[in-house]
Amino acid sequence: GRRDKPALEIMVAAMQDAGRTPAVPRPLWEDVASLLQRPDLLVPGTADEEAPDPNPSAADAEAAGAEAAEPASTDVEATDPGATDAEAAKVPMLASWPALFGAIAQDAREARAALRDETWKDWPSPAESDTEIRKILDALDNVSWDRVWQLTGPFIQSVGYSAPAAQSARAFIEYALSFDRLGPGDLIAVQALTEICLRASPSPSDYHGLLSELGDSCPQWVSPENALVALDFADRLVLAACPDEDARTDLAIALLDPLNSRQGRLKDADIVWARQFSAELGVPLDWHVPDKPEDEEPSFASLPAMTVLMYSLDTAVLDRVSAELLRLAPRLKIATSHDKTGTDSLKKKSRNADVVVLATRCAKHAATGFITENARKAVLTYADGSGSASLFRAATDGLRRAAAQS
């Protein structure tokens, strides 16, 4: 999903060593081989025969009266690596986000080709067609929505930070909450979508409506197992502008109170952040960090001097986590970056780092690939979400691994 070539090479080697390559579907091997430029992975017998597509075809969707907007496309044709010889292997090339949303809803071949080739990376931000996309999303039926949900990652990546696409993000959130898309990966996406909505400076009524819906969903998923996501939501409440204090307090209680009642199952670092968020959001909860037994792992203060590179597009999160790490381990040297592409400065930081921590907001950015290619000696860790708690836990895990290897 991240198109992280070094990590993918490791996974391929592990699959081959374990003799598990036949379990991987042929289309997936084709994508892997193309990304890694390794045709040797496609030798006969490396994978099962291509499985039938579990989704109906575009023609089937049209016959069923799919209500999604008709996808607009250019007259240019592009080769679809997933097409069979019988399908002539040529499909129209999509040229815009509204066209992609409509094509995905109908399960059209050109949509699958656009996702595989990542042509959407060259398009303007979805924010430029936010209203049009929202109209398409509002017209979808349940089956079409199931297909469109796979666009969440590309959508979040492409929106960026300069101009949020709040209407489209809101539609994604409404679908996720209405149809219980509350698995770990789904929740990370919903948190990133919420961040997009809040960056758009919503009106008091829109702010209240969004936070109220999120609060109603909390009993279904807030638990020690999902503590990081809950804390990242709370972190965003702190960082975002607040036009309705009552709505913010209600959601903060819905996020933090279940964790407080079961704090014995939380990691110490999570309790530290929960206590900080409680204070910042005005939620009076009693948090206690238990004393560690003497045979526990060494404290951060005893870690050797190391250089840490943290990458996130959210500078506020970078600042908060940097301050906390330096408080616990003053000997660390911390570098941060929010560059969207590779630069000479980022190359130098990557090559000098002992630990690299990446927050990708559900999708890889050009800079993250640049970092992984240059950080050859570093321990790489990925944050589960985009908030301070997720980035901090990834950083501490990376530091412990690096210390154990030294």
Side-chain angles (χ1 to χ4, degrees), residues 75-161:
D75 294 332
V76 182
E77 290 190 336
T79 300
D80 180 357
T84 64
D85 292 339
E87 292 172 326
K90 286 191 175 182
V91 295
M93 181 181 291
L94 300 175
S96 70
W97 283 100
L100 178 59
F101 273 91
I104 283 288
Q106 297 184 33
D107 196 29
R109 288 172 52 214
E110 55 264 37
R112 296 196 293 273
L115 289 179
R116 182 179 299 110
D117 299 337
E118 296 187 329
T119 55
W120 48 269
K121 287 186 174 181
D122 298 324
W123 301 344
S125 167
E128 296 189 13
S129 49
D130 190 25
T131 301
E132 186 177 356
I133 294 172
R134 174 72 200 231
K135 289 180 180 178
I136 294 172
L137 296 178
D138 285 343
L140 298 182
D141 58 22
N142 296 353
V143 174
S144 298
W145 252 119
D146 284 341
R147 298 178 185 134
V148 167
W149 184 251
Q150 68 184 292
L151 287 179
T152 310
F155 172 82
I156 292 170
Q157 176 178 344
S158 298
V159 168
Y161 272 71

Side-chain angles (χ1 to χ4, degrees), residues 202-209 211 241-250:
S203 67
S205 60
D206 289 342
Y207 181 89
H208 182 277
L211 268 57
C242 174
D244 187 329
E245 289 282 352
D246 290 340
R248 186 174 76 162
T249 299
D250 289 344

Side-chain angles (χ1 to χ4, degrees), residues 262-331:
R262 285 166 280 183
Q263 60 181 293
R265 295 171 55 192
L266 300 181
K267 293 181 177 293
D268 289 356
D270 296 341
I271 295 178
V272 170
W273 284 107
R275 183 167 52 191
Q276 178 173 330
F277 297 152
S278 292
E280 292 173 326
L281 294 168
V283 179
L285 296 171
D286 183 25
W287 300 92
H288 174 64
V289 179
D291 294 331
K292 284 185 174 293
E294 293 182 358
D295 60 350
E296 279 279 344
E297 60 194 13
S299 66
F300 279 101
S302 64
L303 288 176
M306 288 185 281
T307 300
V308 182
L309 170 60
M310 293 192 298
Y311 176 84
S312 171
L313 293 180
D314 194 324
T315 56
V317 168
L318 289 173
D319 292 342
R320 286 162 73 83
V321 176
S322 296
E324 181 63 15
L325 284 174
L326 288 174
R327 184 184 70 81
L328 295 173
R331 298 173 64 189

